Amino acid sequence: MIFQPAIIALLLASLVCVGLLVVSAPFAFDIIRHWNIRSGSERQLVLERRTYLLSTLLTFVFATQLVALLLFVFNADKMSSMFVGAMCAVGTLNVNVFGFPALIAQIVVFFLAANWLVINHVDTRAHDYPLVRIKYILLLALLPLLLVAAVLQLRYFLGLKADVITSCCGSLFSEEAPGVTGDAAASPPLPTMIAFYVALALAAGAGLFYRLRKRGAYFVALFSGAAFVVAMAGILSFVSLYIYEHPHHHCPFCVLKPEYHYQGYWLYLPLFIGTAAGLGVGAIQPFSRVPSLTVIVPAFARKLATLAAVMWSLFAAVASFMILNSRLVLLEG
Amino acid sequence: MNAWIAKQQYLIDFTLSSLARRKAKNLGLLIVYTLIVFLLASVMLFTHALRHEAAHVLDGAPEVVLQRMVAGRHDLIPPGYLERLGRIRGVQNKEGRLWGYYYDPVVKANYTFMVPNREPVPAGTLVVGAALAKARGLAVGNVISFRSYSGKLFGFSVARILSPDTELVSADLVLLNEGDFRNFFEIAPGYFTDIALSVANPQEVRNVATKLAQQFPDSRPILRDEILRTYESIFNWREGIVLALASLAILAFAIFAWEKASGLSAEEKREIGILKAIGWETGDVIKMKFWEGALVSLAAFVFGYVLAYLHVFHTSAMLFTPVLKGWAVLYPHFDLPPVIDGFQVATLFFFTVFPYAAATLVPIWRAAITDPDSVMR
């Protein structure tokens, strides 16, 4: 089912992105091998110019990844009308085994790319570009991941086949019709709710603590990463139920729909920004001892930690508001 | 933060004035860009409106239609079939329907003859669709005669002409009395064309269909959802094919954009050289060029989209109608209700702005690394 506008667009985007990264890989390799900021040789000049191209290119690729992630989810939701049993994006992603892995791979690529951009930003602030080598080694490490995400996406789309009318519709019903499961598995509400608020409090607290004391950068990253996982579990387990006011509708995607007034964006925007910022604090921490970065890294990490703390608090507030505002009673007593 | 915004403001100011200085070159790019957006946006808006309309039309259709098959062909429902259906749980309402096609050699078109279940038509009269009435020049009270498949001539008077608002579904429709229908097509009492079932609970529809298929092995149940899904796939597929063909145009456009962006005139090169000599960094030049691309893209996107909107919803998409709509003698004339979908705008963005941005990345960088001394010498 390749001939769908959004699928063509997504495949085009991932093809161009992977293509750009593959083409730039030899340049990155060159930079890793020959970079020497103290040299005034012609080669060094050429390399320095190339770093501009590469960082522009990567910003472009990663920005595209972000938009593609959104389009991927929208598209999954739109296509749900074409599969028996699929009510929303969960059903569409369950059509074959590559659906959810493709989505998860894209989310992972998105967070890693965000971290790369944070490191890039810190590096360009310093006068001697101390992290150039590390940056491009990380870039080469990211390339296979991007490739995996693209291949998973391609396999997913190639495996889709819409359930359309056949000349004899009866045969569709007399045999065991292979409907897809439209529901996501979810954990029990009460324990998840406790874990949810504990994780959010830890993530926001770690961010705040870093802002005040400039200590515990790795904890900010660790708690943010953990909070992302727990928050997703929480959305699946009970936040979505409160939004839908339905005790069995565990769906992380329907909240983005107009039927629910796009409430999902209020949840997901702080969630993704908070996670990316929190992880970024940890990503630049190893470089705080580099002489030219001793001032830059803590200052930028402080900004990121503040952003993470604000976003986590906002996320908790939005989720709590949605729960309190709901007419659903999930926990009695 | 304020300093950052101020900086971008100055950059945009500068970019705008520098764009205005090279009107001819940028206008050419803008026109081609707008044309591409217009083309793709028209296809998308049009198919989306059609999809929307199809779903809207099917809203009132029965959940399940049961047809009887004989030797793999659609056949009449024999007497007693409807009564046997009665015991299926979940079926709220069931009715036998009578309809058929009639070829009229006068206008060389097929009509759909149908017996309405609600508001029966008095015997000897017809209610006809607007397109049909126009084709045959009919008015209320006129008498029209059809020669039936058995060779007999039947005369009817026109009781009413259906409103043109419903033309999409009623262009070729003829409503008549049950007795007239049975006489005209020589269908014995008790026989029906097919059976329409309404099922109250949407989750029960598949179960009902499964039971029908088991209980009546000689029948085929057709679900409304299935029809909808098929329409959806067909429209998406058509849209996808057109877009895939248009991808050649997009490729040509990307090459054009690449050429435009890399073919810097001596004057532009000198300008960048001077900017760098007075203290601009490579990064600043890239930012300026980024804003240039963003402004051009935004303008082209807005112009192209508005033009496409006008084209599709005010001129009935006259450029694409032959490809995307399909064809018939009594073709309904209909205006599509305007529908805009955020998802489609996002997809369109990927098809137009994304290739442009990708194609201009390297030329922008080439321009930005220009050495001041080499161009000012």
Side-chain angles (χ1 to χ4, degrees):
Chain A
M1 217 167 68
I2 294 293
F3 284 115
Q4 302 275 336
I7 292 180
I8 300 176
L10 282 169
L11 291 178
L12 178 80
S14 69
L15 188 75
V16 170
C17 286
V18 169
L20 283 175
L21 276 193
V22 167
V23 169
S24 58
F27 294 123
F29 210 66
D30 226 25
I31 291 173
I32 294 167
R33 277 184 62 199
H34 301 294
W35 181 265
N36 179 9
I37 191 75
R38 271 180 287 280
S39 154
S41 68
E42 188 154 3
R43 167 181 269 163
Q44 174 64 18
L45 269 174
V46 170
L47 290 183
E48 276 175 31
R49 283 178 177 166
R50 271 192 198 146
T51 58
Y52 279 105
L53 175 64
L54 289 181
S55 61
T56 313
L57 216 117
L58 284 166
T59 316
F60 174 74
V61 167
F62 295 148
T64 308
Q65 284 295 318
L66 172 62
V67 186
L69 177 63
L70 270 175
L71 194 67
F72 186 79
V73 173
F74 282 154
N75 180 46
D77 189 56
K78 284 273 165 179
M79 286 197 306
S80 61
S81 62
M82 288 192 245
F83 302 98
V84 172
M87 296 290 184
C88 64
V90 174
T92 320
L93 291 173
N94 270 331
V95 169
N96 63 41
V97 291
F98 296 104
F100 274 103
L103 177 69
I104 292 167
Q106 289 209 342
I107 293 177
V108 169
V109 166
F110 167 71
F111 282 130
L112 291 176
N115 280 327
W116 194 90
L117 288 177
V118 168
I119 294 173
N120 183 43
H121 179 77
V122 170
D123 181 52
T124 49
R125 297 286 291 277
H127 60 87
D128 60 348
Y129 302 114
L131 305 179
V132 163
R133 278 220 173 81
I134 292 161
K135 246 165 50 180
Y136 289 105
I137 290 172
L138 288 177
L139 169 65
L140 291 180
L142 256 173
L143 180 60
L145 261 170
L146 204 70
L147 213 62
V148 167
V151 169
L152 279 174
Q153 184 177 283
L154 182 68
R155 291 290 301 270
Y156 170 59
F157 287 141
L158 284 177
L160 291 181
K161 227 168 148 266
D163 297 310
V164 294
I165 294 185
T166 46
S167 63
C168 177
C169 300
S171 66
L172 195 62
F173 301 106
S174 41
E175 65 190 72
E176 271 300 295
V180 291
T181 48
D183 227 354
S187 40
L190 187 62
T192 319
M193 204 183 271
I194 295 168
F196 181 79
Y197 280 106
V198 169
L200 291 187
L202 281 176
L208 195 67
F209 184 74
Y210 187 86
R211 183 191 159 80
L212 298 173
R213 296 282 161 81
K214 294 207 174 175
R215 277 217 305 267
Y218 292 118
F219 285 107
V220 180
L222 181 71
F223 288 145
S224 289
F228 179 77
V229 177
V230 177
M232 284 312 293
I235 290 176
L236 266 177
S237 159
F238 62 91
V239 179
S240 61
L241 302 187
Y242 280 112
I243 296 174
Y244 307 134
E245 301 185 339
H246 184 300
H248 295 295
H249 191 184
H250 299 276
C251 177
F253 304 111
C254 288
V255 286
L256 296 168
K257 285 189 180 179
E259 290 98 290
Y260 302 104
H261 310 290
Y262 305 105
Q263 291 181 54
Y265 291 96
W266 291 101
L267 280 175
Y268 286 119
L269 278 181
L271 177 62
F272 275 76
I273 297 174
T275 310
L279 291 175
V281 175
I284 50 174
Q285 196 53 33
F287 315 119
S288 59
R289 305 246 166 98
V290 175
S292 57
L293 290 174
T294 43
V295 182
I296 296 168
V297 163
F300 191 61
R302 185 158 176 259
K303 273 189 192 165
L304 284 177
T306 313
L307 182 66
V310 169
M311 285 298 155
W312 284 118
S313 313
L314 183 65
F315 176 74
V318 169
S320 309
F321 176 76
M322 284 168 175
I323 292 169
L324 292 176
N325 218 18
S326 169
R327 282 167 296 178
L328 176 75
V329 178
L330 200 59
L331 306 168
E332 278 185 85
Chain B
M1 198 66 188
N2 279 337
W4 185 84
I5 291 172
K7 184 179 174 184
Q8 306 304 320
Q9 261 179 358
Y10 292 133
L11 271 173
I12 292 171
D13 262 3
F14 181 85
T15 312
L16 275 176
S17 56
S18 106
L19 279 173
R21 256 177 283 141
R22 285 182 290 277
K23 275 196 198 81
K25 177 184 171 183
N26 293 313
L27 212 62
L29 175 67
L30 190 66
I31 289 172
V32 175
Y33 203 158
T34 306
L35 211 65
I36 288 277
V37 175
F38 165 76
L39 186 79
L40 299 181
S42 295
V43 174
M44 288 182 156
L45 281 172
F46 186 64
T47 44
H48 187 65
L50 277 183
R51 236 186 334 242
H52 200 80
E53 193 66 15
H56 182 67
V57 163
L58 282 172
D59 259 355
E63 278 82 9
V64 184
V65 170
L66 191 71
Q67 295 181 336
R68 185 164 167 256
M69 309 292 284
V70 169
R73 307 281 296 173
H74 177 193
D75 202 55
L76 292 179
I77 303 277
Y81 225 75
L82 253 178
E83 289 68 40
R84 277 168 63 204
L85 260 177
R87 286 173 293 278
I88 289 182
R89 204 181 290 250
V91 177
Q92 198 179 32
N93 194 13
K94 57 184 194 312
E95 55 193 20
R97 301 195 303 181
L98 281 170
W99 55 270
Y101 297 128
Y102 174 77
Y103 177 72
D104 184 1
V106 179
V107 288
K108 295 192 175 65
N110 261 314
Y111 301 158
T112 305
F113 274 42
M114 195 174 173
V115 178
N117 278 316
R118 285 167 224 108
E119 301 176 41
V121 180
T125 62
L126 296 180
V127 174
V128 297
L132 191 158
K134 211 184 301 161
R136 287 287 302 246
L138 291 175
V140 174
N142 287 9
V143 173
I144 183 174
S145 53
F146 296 119
R147 184 179 293 277
S148 80
Y149 290 122
S150 57
K152 274 182 275 181
L153 212 58
F154 286 81
F156 300 100
S157 71
V158 176
R160 195 158 62 90
I161 292 171
L162 291 165
S163 145
D165 295 347
T166 60
E167 207 173 313
L168 187 56
V169 282
S170 72
D172 61 349
L173 191 64
V174 176
L175 298 177
L176 70 173
N177 185 272
E178 182 175 343
D180 289 343
F181 184 91
R182 288 189 189 278
N183 288 335
F184 189 76
F185 289 111
E186 298 191 331
I187 292 175
Y191 283 87
F192 290 100
T193 314
D194 56 18
I195 298 172
L197 302 165
S198 50
V199 180
N201 182 354
Q203 311 217 312
E204 275 295 299
V205 174
R206 288 190 69 77
N207 292 337
V208 169
T210 312
K211 278 184 206 164
L212 286 173
Q214 279 165 2
Q215 200 172 335
F216 302 98
D218 60 342
S219 73
R220 73 171 170 199
I222 300 170
L223 308 190
R224 185 177 66 194
D225 286 352
E226 228 121 57
I227 301 173
L228 264 177
R229 196 178 302 132
T230 306
Y231 269 126
E232 183 101 348
S233 308
I234 287 173
F235 285 132
N236 283 357
W237 182 80
R238 281 189 184 184
E239 189 182 357
I241 290 281
V242 173
L243 287 181
L245 291 176
S247 62
L248 286 176
I250 298 172
L251 187 69
F253 168 65
I255 293 170
F256 176 76
W258 171 292
E259 277 297 319
K260 278 271 177 191
S262 52
L264 286 184
S265 63
E267 189 201 347
E268 274 175 284
K269 275 198 180 133
R270 210 175 59 232
E271 191 180 304
I272 291 172
I274 292 170
L275 288 176
K276 292 189 86 173
I278 59 170
W280 282 44
E281 282 177 33
T282 307
D284 295 330
V285 180
I286 290 180
K287 273 192 201 106
M288 178 191 83
K289 286 278 169 191
F290 159 77
W291 277 116
E292 196 179 295
L295 290 170
V296 170
S297 296
L298 190 71
F301 198 83
V302 171
F303 287 153
Y305 201 82
V306 169
L307 281 178
Y309 185 92
L310 294 175
H311 168 225
V312 171
F313 298 120
H314 290 269
T315 68
S316 303
M318 52 189 202
L319 296 178
F320 299 128
T321 315
V323 193
L324 289 168
K325 235 179 182 170
W327 170 93
V329 173
L330 282 185
Y331 203 85
H333 174 85
F334 58 94
D335 287 322
L336 292 165
V339 203
I340 290 183
D341 182 25
F343 172 69
Q344 285 222 308
V345 177
T347 311
L348 181 65
F349 183 83
F350 256 101
F351 271 107
T352 52
V353 177
F354 176 76
Y356 175 77
T360 50
L361 268 176
V362 172
I364 284 179
W365 168 73
R366 281 236 184 88
I369 55 165
T370 315
D371 268 334
D373 65 320
S374 68
V375 287
M376 288 198 297
R377 202 170 286 155

